[in-house]
Amino acid sequence: MAEKRDYYEVLGVDKSADDATIKAAYRKLAKKYHPDMNPGDKDAEAKFKEASEAYAVLSDAEKRKQYDQFGHAAFEGGAGGAGGFDFSSMDFEDLFGGIFGDLFGGGRRGGGRSNGPMKGANLRTSVRMKFEEAVFGCTKEIELTVKETCKTCNGSGAKPGSSVDTCSKCGGKGKVVYSQQSFFGVMQNVQTCPDCNGTGKVIRDKCPDCHGSGFIPMRKKYAVEFPAGVDNGQCKRMQGLGEPGQNGGPRGDVLVEAVVDRHPIFQREDRDLYSTVPISFAVAALGGEIMIDTVDGRPVVYEVKPGTATDTRIRLRGKGVPSLRDPKSRGDHYVLLTVQVPTRMSAKAKELLKQFDAECGDTLGAADRYRAEHADAGDGTDPKKKKKKGLFG
C-alpha cells in the first residue's frame, strides 16, 4: 500500500497555518476535485478523498494536535471513515455553503427558499458622440426594443377567460429539491423547476398575442442626458427601463455606453487635455504672442518668452475637461511648443538668415574654419579629403 502523504502537503499549507488558511485551502481543492465536477475521473476522486481526510484532521484542534505529535500513526486501527476516523464532527454545511451552490446550481442541503420577486435583466447599448460633446455634455437619442405588459392578458400570459395553474412539480415554489449520492452520503440540492422555469405557474391555454410570456416587444425612443466630462467607455444608467422582473420584481436598467470620437488636435487624459502648437524660429528666439486653440472653441493669446526651446511644455489652467461631480471645476490644458524650421525660403530670406548667422557666431562657416586651422598641422590629414574617402578608405 502506498505511503500516505503529509496532510499539510496535501492541502498545500505550512504547519503553522491557521484555521482560516486551512479551510480556504480545502475549499479550493474540494471545488477542483469534487466527483460531481469530474464524473468518472478516478484520479480526481482519489485526490478529493485525500484532501477531505487531511481537512478532517487538521480542522479539528484535538486531532491536529495528535497528528503533529504522532503523524499518521495517531489514527491507525480506528473505526469510521478513511484513515481510521469519521467525518461526523465536520461542519460541511458551513464549509460547502458556497461550494455546492456552484457545483449543483442550487442552495444548501435541506431544501430551498420560496420563489420570490426577482429583478429583470439589464439592457446594454451605446451611442457615438463628438469629442466636444463629451467634454461639455450632451443629450442623445436611443431606440430600444423593450418588453411591455400585454394588454390582452394584462401580463398573465393566459388566454382571456382561462386560468393559470400552480405547477404540480414544484408546488408553486419555482424550485425543486434533488437528492444525490456523494462521498459524504446523500446530499440534497435545490434547482429551478424545469416545468415552470421558476415561475411556480403553468399556463395551459396561452395568450394568442404574447404567446404566454405576458409581454409584447415594442420599439421605443429615449433621450439620454450625458453630463459634462463623460469619458469614452463610461455608461449612463437609466433605471427601470430594462427587462421585466419575475414574480413581481422590478424591471432591470438600461446601460448606455459613451463612444467618443477622436479629435484632430486634442488628446484627453482624465480631466486634462494635451495638444501641440508649432511656433516660428523668430517667435522662439525673440518671443512674442501666439494663438492657441482650446476646446472651448475660442483661441487664447499666449506670450512666448524669448529663447524658448523646442518641445517646451506650457499649461493653460482651467482649460481642460469639467469634473463629473462639479462641472465648475475643470482640468488643465497642456501645450507642447515645437519650433518649426522653414523648408522653402526666398533668396532674400536666405541672405538675411546668413547675415543673422554671421552676427550670432557664424555657425555656417564652422567647418571651413576648422579645415583652415588644421591644413598645416603636419599629420598629413586633410579633413575634407578624409571625408570623401570614406570610413574605411
Side-chain angles (χ1 to χ4, degrees):
M1 184 175 179
E3 184 178 351
K4 286 186 177 182
R5 288 201 299 157
D6 179 79
Y7 287 150
Y8 293 100
E9 178 186 346
V10 170
L11 297 183
V13 298
D14 297 330
K15 289 189 176 182
S16 59
D18 57 16
D19 293 341
T21 302
I22 291 174
K23 183 175 181 178
Y26 177 55
R27 283 173 62 91
K28 183 177 180 180
L29 292 173
K31 293 182 74 172
K32 182 177 181 180
Y33 295 116
H34 195 281
D36 292 312
M37 296 295 288
N38 304 273
D41 190 338
K42 297 298 182 181
D43 184 57
E45 182 179 353
K47 290 181 178 179
F48 177 75
K49 291 181 179 180
E50 182 184 43
S52 300
E53 180 179 327
Y55 179 74
V57 172
L58 300 184
S59 63
D60 185 288
E62 185 61 30
K63 289 190 176 83
R64 183 176 180 181
K65 182 178 180 181
Q66 295 178 36
Y67 178 74
D68 289 343
Q69 187 174 1
F70 302 106
H72 293 297
F75 310 104
E76 290 179 356
F85 55 86
D86 59 48
F87 295 101
S88 60
S89 63
M90 292 177 63
D91 187 5
F92 287 108
E93 181 72 17
D94 174 66
L95 178 66
F96 288 107
I99 294 180
F100 286 141
D102 294 336
L103 295 178
F104 308 124
R108 296 184 177 182
R109 294 178 295 168
R113 59 180 176 82
S114 60
N115 186 30
M118 293 181 62
K119 183 179 180 179
N122 294 334
L123 295 177
R124 288 181 174 270
T125 187
S126 62
V127 293
R128 184 173 293 277
M129 63 185 66
K130 296 179 180 179
F131 189 89
E132 293 85 355
E133 290 179 324
V135 172
F136 298 110
C138 62
T139 300
K140 292 291 183 178
E141 186 180 82
I142 61 172
E143 187 173 2
L144 296 173
T145 299
V146 297
K147 295 178 181 178
E148 294 294 338
T149 301
C150 177
K151 295 181 179 180
T152 302
C153 64
N154 293 320
S156 68
K159 184 178 179 179
S162 64
S163 61
V164 179
D165 300 331
T166 300
C167 178
S168 59
K169 188 174 186 67
C170 65
K173 295 181 178 180
K175 297 182 181 297
V176 291
V177 180
Y178 291 98
S179 297
Q180 191 168 10
Q181 184 69 36
S182 73
F183 175 71
F184 306 111
V186 178
M187 303 290 293
Q188 290 183 330
N189 60 88
V190 182
Q191 294 183 357
T192 301
C193 177
D195 287 8
C196 65
N197 294 321
T199 63
K201 301 176 181 180
V202 177
I203 301 173
R204 305 297 180 187
D205 197 1
K206 296 181 179 180
C207 171
D209 291 343
C210 66
H211 307 288
S213 68
F215 300 96
I216 299 292
M218 300 180 63
R219 295 291 291 178
K220 283 194 170 184
K221 294 182 179 181
Y222 299 99
V224 187
E225 294 185 5
F226 286 93
V230 66
D231 206 349
N232 185 58
Q234 292 182 334
C235 291
K236 175 67 179 291
R237 181 182 295 271
M238 303 178 68
Q239 295 184 340
L241 297 182
E243 292 289 336
Q246 296 182 10
N247 304 314
R251 298 183 74 107
D253 303 328
V254 172
L255 303 178
V256 187
E257 180 185 2
V259 180
V260 183
D261 292 336
R262 297 175 64 89
H263 197 278
I265 298 177
F266 308 115
Q267 292 82 44
R268 178 179 175 179
E269 186 175 323
D270 295 330
R271 293 197 299 140
D272 293 330
L273 295 177
Y274 297 84
S275 67
T276 300
V277 174
I279 60 176
S280 68
F281 176 77
V283 171
L286 303 176
E289 292 182 338
I290 60 172
M291 306 297 291
I292 299 178
D293 290 330
T294 66
V295 73
D296 297 277
R298 298 182 301 275
V300 298
V301 179
Y302 181 81
E303 180 75 22
V304 177
K305 295 180 180 179
T308 295
T310 191
D311 292 338
T312 295
R313 176 167 288 181
I314 62 174
R315 177 169 62 174
L316 304 180
R317 296 180 182 273
K319 291 296 182 179
V321 180
S323 169
L324 283 172
R325 294 184 176 88
D326 182 12
K328 295 181 180 180
S329 174
R330 295 178 60 174
D332 300 326
H333 181 179
Y334 293 90
V335 181
L336 191 68
L337 303 179
T338 59
V339 180
Q340 279 193 324
V341 178
T343 56
R344 300 181 64 182
M345 300 176 63
S346 65
K348 183 178 180 179
K350 291 179 181 179
E351 184 60 33
L352 291 173
L353 188 57
K354 289 178 182 179
Q355 295 177 22
F356 168 81
D357 181 68
E359 292 292 332
C360 296
D362 192 19
T363 59
L364 294 174
D368 289 335
R369 290 196 302 273
Y370 179 84
R371 283 192 290 267
E373 292 172 359
H374 294 79
D376 300 326
D379 56 3
T381 301
D382 186 338
K384 190 173 183 179
K385 292 182 179 180
K386 184 176 181 179
K387 183 179 179 180
K388 288 185 177 181
K389 289 180 66 177
L391 182 61
F392 302 104

